[in-house]
Amino acid sequence: GAVVSQHPSRVICKSGTSVKIECRSLDFQATTMFWYRQFPKQSLMLMATSNEGSKATYEQGVEKDKFLINHASLTLSTLTVTSAHPEDSSFYICSAPNPRAGVESPLHFGNGTRLTVT
Amino acid sequence: AQSVTQLGSHVSVSEGALVLLRCNYSSSVPPYLFWYVQYPNQGLQLLLKYTTGATLVKGINGFEAEFKKSETSFHLTKPSAHMSDAAEYFCAVIPDSSYKLIFGSGTRLLVRP
């Protein structure tokens, strides 16, 4: 079964509103989670690294005030797209490494969230 | 900076034919290499990975890949394509100890009946 749960799977919102996406690790504690964005027919681009108990680390070109990340517990990271605009429409995917495994072990991915901003 | 190159955004094969999806990486040291598959509107599923040891890696669904250091390649193959193999395939690398996956641009595999 899934070890990383992402919710919602699909969301449609109006321009200017904010949307929160949750990513939960189900049977392990994740001090680090990663948020990716995937535009249609494109690859996954790392947006930020979510760190439990500290500030997220954003990749170059990603607006931290636009994409708010909160990692309040060892099993939950949230990504909030603030004041969403149509260009934010995308597929957002979270992932988490199992800290009991080494870095060479695969990340566990959520099933993604399809965000459509109208 | 580490990068991953997937040659061919689309690959089309007939059912039963050989599947070959190409992946090259740039790295001064051998990285950790992965192949993932993505079905429409879904997350990613790991097909196989190379970390250390045997350079020919076998994965799920009959896929395998060979790590060739001299060619900095990690091509994905399957002897006989099935209709259910039609999907997007991503080669990815972790170049260091950060757990950060760097993805290639992806290759869409089309399987013709």
Side-chain angles (χ1 to χ4, degrees), chain B:
Chain B
Q2 180 66 253
S3 67
V4 180
T5 302
Q6 289 184 243
L7 293 176
S9 60
H10 291 79
V11 170
S12 180
V13 300
S14 298
E15 189 174 20
L18 171 71
V19 175
L20 170 60
L21 305 182
R22 299 178 185 274
C23 174
N24 289 87
Y25 65 93
S26 65
S27 176
S28 59
V29 296
Y32 301 116
L33 295 158
F34 305 83
W35 274 99
Y36 285 88
V37 60
Q38 184 182 35
Y39 296 97
N41 292 314
Q42 293 188 26
L44 280 77
Q45 181 181 11
L46 179 71
L47 283 176
L48 48 80
K49 65 176 181 178
Y50 170 79
T51 55
T52 59
T55 56
L56 181 62
V57 181
K58 295 186 183 299
I60 63 172
N61 301 339
F63 285 94
E64 61 182 38
E66 186 172 9
F67 169 64
K68 291 187 176 180
K69 183 178 178 180
S70 61
E71 299 177 7
T72 60
S73 68
F74 191 56
H75 301 330
L76 181 71
T77 61
K78 181 174 180 177
S80 177
H82 193 272
M83 296 298 291
S84 61
D85 294 326
E88 188 87 19
Y89 291 81
F90 292 97
C91 182
V93 60
I94 294 180
D96 51 32
S97 60
S98 68
Y99 287 103
K100 287 184 181 180
L101 267 175
I102 298 173
F103 286 90
S105 55
T107 298
R108 181 166 297 277
L109 176 65
L110 306 172
V111 182
R112 304 185 302 271

Side-chain angles (χ1 to χ4, degrees), chain A residues 61-84:
Chain A
V62 178
E63 301 175 62
K64 60 181 180 181
D65 295 331
K66 173 84 172 166
F67 299 99
L68 300 180
I69 291 173
N70 184 279
H71 197 146
S73 78
L74 288 170
T75 59
L76 174 64
S77 175
T78 61
L79 168 68
T80 301
V81 183
T82 63
S83 187

Side-chain angles (χ1 to χ4, degrees), chain A residues 35-37 39 45-49 56-69 79-81 88 92:
Chain A
W35 287 96
Y36 291 84
R37 178 169 56 186
F39 289 107
M45 299 301 295
L46 180 64
M47 298 175 66
T49 302
T57 305
Y58 290 83
E59 296 299 304
Q60 191 173 8
V62 178
E63 301 175 62
K64 60 181 180 181
D65 295 331
K66 173 84 172 166
F67 299 99
L68 300 180
I69 291 173
L79 168 68
T80 301
V81 183
D88 297 324
Y92 294 87

Side-chain angles (χ1 to χ4, degrees), chain A residues 4-109:
Chain A
V4 172
S5 175
Q6 189 172 341
H7 179 80
S9 60
R10 194 179 293 268
V11 59
I12 300 173
C13 70
K14 293 185 177 181
S15 186
T17 61
S18 295
V19 174
K20 180 183 286 187
I21 303 170
E22 294 186 347
C23 182
R24 295 180 183 273
S25 57
L26 298 181
D27 59 359
F28 63 95
Q29 294 181 333
T31 57
T32 301
M33 291 186 178
F34 300 100
W35 287 96
Y36 291 84
R37 178 169 56 186
Q38 185 181 30
F39 289 107
K41 299 183 180 181
Q42 294 188 29
S43 187
L44 286 81
M45 299 301 295
L46 180 64
M47 298 175 66
T49 302
S50 175
N51 304 299
E52 189 272 332
S54 65
K55 292 182 179 181
T57 305
Y58 290 83
E59 296 299 304
Q60 191 173 8
V62 178
E63 301 175 62
K64 60 181 180 181
D65 295 331
K66 173 84 172 166
F67 299 99
L68 300 180
I69 291 173
N70 184 279
H71 197 146
S73 78
L74 288 170
T75 59
L76 174 64
S77 175
T78 61
L79 168 68
T80 301
V81 183
T82 63
S83 187
H85 288 91
E87 57 265 32
D88 297 324
S89 298
S90 188
F91 193 57
Y92 294 87
I93 306 176
C94 70
S95 69
N98 187 335
R100 292 193 296 269
V103 68
E104 71 278 10
S105 294
L107 297 174
H108 300 290
F109 282 85

